[in-house]
Amino acid sequence: MKETKTVSGSPETRAAMHEVMAAFEAFKGANDARLAELEKKASVDTLLEEKVARIDAAVGSAQARLDRALSETRRPVLEAAPSGGFAATSPLKGEETKSAFAAYMTGGSTVGLELKAGLSSGPSSGGYVVPPETERAIERRLMAGSPMREIATVRTVGSGVFRKPVSTAGVEAGWVAETAARPETDPATLALLEFPSADLYACPAATQSLLDDALIDLDEWLAAEVEDAFSAQETEALVNGDGTNKPRGFLDYDLVEDGDQAWGEIGYVASGAAGAFPVSNPTDRLIDLIYAPKALYRPNARFVMNRRTVGTVRKFKDGDGNYIWQPAQRPGDTASLLGYPVTEIETMPDIGADAAAIAFGDFQRGYLIVDRAGVRVLRDPYSAKPYVLFYTTKRVGGGVQNFDAIKVMKFAAS
């Protein structure tokens, strides 16, 4: 069972939110002055441009701090289910397993641990399955550190390949009179999507003195050590991965002009200018992107882009002169663009020629992340003496599961 903490009103979150709002108010004043000078003189003073850029960077930094604070509050607390899964063991057995794993981490004892052999022979090809508490600690930190895990569907499976049948064309229906014949309708067209898991690994190191320290929590230590490495590699793959020994990112699929795409392709809306937004009415292109997905995908939709692209759209206004980007108004909320939440993912491409720098849609319906149950650790006290290395592997897969739910903006004239 997965629960989410609801402490969004913490002092840290409120302070970060107030900082964002104050910085954005300063940004609006400076940018309004820049726009007024541009309209009056057809050029802008260099010092004013630098001031706007400086305040914009401050808004971005404040927003990043707020996002980190919100990620902390959204970390899931994974509890053992009353039956089945990892919770099937008794508390006594769980304590025994944890004790056995601690003995393995600190001294290399393998008594009471389950060995998962690799494809090749020899001790270097395998590892020991971590206790459920350690796996949950790693999952909690990955959820907090990976933006894609916050917005996509995450599913834990017991096999190396998860297969999901999907309907690419629905069952046909028709109207008939009460006593009229019921002709047979065409059945649904099904496709089988496959999401293979690939090994994601990290190799944190520790001294023997650190491991012998009775005060250290080995579960949290290992989770903290692999968090940055795992989340960085995951985020890159879930956006841009080619599917070879890694998940397939949503930008790796063929991009076809919206309305002409087939199943297996992502529809795009052109920005209207090569490598940029059009000079006049750039907000209109974002509105076009919002209405590219069908209505059923818009209620839970969001924008996805990197912070440099956010810095560009933050300067845009609507027809009434209101800024279309707005900071969070309440603790627990995120920044919004035209009323839709914005998720910043640094591995999204920058605005450039033919770049798909902005995505929009319901990512929970559109993208699936597959976790293969079980994290393995192989202790290596020999390769980097006096350090002890812990070769840690987790199997992760991913790909688009609904091609209608995600659209992108391609920065091209058409």
Side-chain angles (χ1 to χ4, degrees), residues 241-307:
D242 60 8
T244 302
N245 298 325
K246 61 175 69 73
R248 188 173 183 185
F250 64 88
L251 292 185
D252 184 66
Y253 294 85
D254 291 337
L255 304 181
V256 179
E257 186 173 5
D258 189 48
D260 295 334
Q261 78 274 15
W263 183 260
E265 300 171 334
I266 299 289
Y268 76 81
V269 172
S271 68
F277 279 101
V279 176
S280 61
N281 301 322
T283 302
D284 290 352
R285 308 311 297 165
L286 292 170
I287 294 174
D288 291 341
L289 179 60
I290 288 174
Y291 285 94
K294 295 178 181 177
L296 73 160
Y297 301 117
R298 288 199 294 272
N300 295 316
R302 63 179 55 243
F303 284 97
V304 171
M305 62 191 82
N306 68 27
R307 58 186 171 86

Side-chain angles (χ1 to χ4, degrees), residues 76-116:
V77 179
L78 302 177
E79 297 180 349
S83 62
F86 292 125
T89 58
S90 66
L92 179 60
K93 186 174 181 181
E95 286 299 320
E96 291 174 349
T97 303
K98 190 171 181 179
S99 263
F101 184 70
Y104 174 66
M105 293 279 285
T106 55
S109 172
T110 60
V111 177
L113 291 176
E114 177 187 356
L115 176 66
K116 288 291 186 182

Side-chain angles (χ1 to χ4, degrees), residues 84 231 299 381:
S231 61

Side-chain angles (χ1 to χ4, degrees), residues 105-411:
M105 293 279 285
T106 55
S109 172
T110 60
V111 177
L113 291 176
E114 177 187 356
L115 176 66
K116 288 291 186 182
L119 295 177
S120 57
S121 61
S124 63
S125 63
Y128 291 88
V129 177
V130 304
E133 295 84 358
T134 308
E135 184 174 2
R136 289 197 291 268
I138 292 173
E139 288 175 349
R140 284 199 303 270
R141 288 184 171 270
L142 277 181
M143 181 67 75
S146 172
M148 280 295 291
R149 282 183 175 267
E150 288 193 359
I151 64 176
T153 294
V154 182
R155 182 162 188 167
T156 301
V157 298
S159 61
V161 179
F162 176 66
R163 295 175 175 86
K164 179 179 180 179
V166 296
S167 174
T168 60
V171 177
E172 290 193 8
W175 296 98
V176 293
E178 181 179 358
T179 58
R182 269 67 171 174
E184 183 177 350
T185 59
D186 292 335
T189 303
L190 297 177
L192 186 65
L193 297 180
E194 294 190 348
F195 301 90
S197 301
D199 279 357
L200 178 64
Y201 72 91
C203 200
T207 63
Q208 189 61 49
S209 297
L210 174 67
L211 297 174
D212 291 338
D213 188 348
L215 297 178
I216 186 173
D217 185 330
L218 291 175
D219 294 340
E220 283 300 323
W221 174 82
L222 182 63
E225 289 294 306
V226 302
E227 175 187 3
D228 289 343
F230 277 7
S231 61
Q233 290 294 326
E234 252 195 16
T235 303
E236 170 62 30
L238 298 176
V239 174
N240 300 304
D242 60 8
T244 302
N245 298 325
K246 61 175 69 73
R248 188 173 183 185
F250 64 88
L251 292 185
D252 184 66
Y253 294 85
D254 291 337
L255 304 181
V256 179
E257 186 173 5
D258 189 48
D260 295 334
Q261 78 274 15
W263 183 260
E265 300 171 334
I266 299 289
Y268 76 81
V269 172
S271 68
F277 279 101
V279 176
S280 61
N281 301 322
T283 302
D284 290 352
R285 308 311 297 165
L286 292 170
I287 294 174
D288 291 341
L289 179 60
I290 288 174
Y291 285 94
K294 295 178 181 177
L296 73 160
Y297 301 117
R298 288 199 294 272
N300 295 316
R302 63 179 55 243
F303 284 97
V304 171
M305 62 191 82
N306 68 27
R307 58 186 171 86
R308 291 170 292 277
T309 305
V310 171
T312 297
V313 301
R314 189 180 285 133
K315 301 180 177 72
F316 296 167
K317 295 183 177 183
D318 61 19
D320 297 324
N322 301 310
Y323 283 90
I324 63 173
W325 184 93
Q326 292 293 323
Q329 302 299 312
R330 299 190 305 259
D333 289 349
T334 58
S336 63
L337 181 65
L338 291 169
Y340 290 92
V342 178
T343 297
E344 291 187 25
I345 299 182
E346 285 307 299
T347 54
M348 286 290 289
D350 291 334
I351 293 175
D354 294 328
I358 301 177
F360 178 82
D362 186 341
F363 281 80
Q364 191 168 29
R365 290 192 182 189
Y367 197 88
L368 176 66
I369 300 172
V370 176
D371 282 333
R372 171 70 163 85
V375 175
R376 289 178 294 164
V377 173
L378 181 64
R379 188 179 192 273
D380 177 10
Y382 308 110
S383 299
K385 291 184 290 188
Y387 298 99
V388 181
L389 304 180
F390 294 93
Y391 179 68
T392 307
T393 58
K394 176 179 176 59
R395 302 192 70 187
V396 181
V400 174
Q401 62 178 346
N402 187 330
F403 294 91
D404 294 329
I406 300 174
K407 306 293 181 182
V408 300
M409 177 172 286
K410 181 178 178 182
F411 282 81

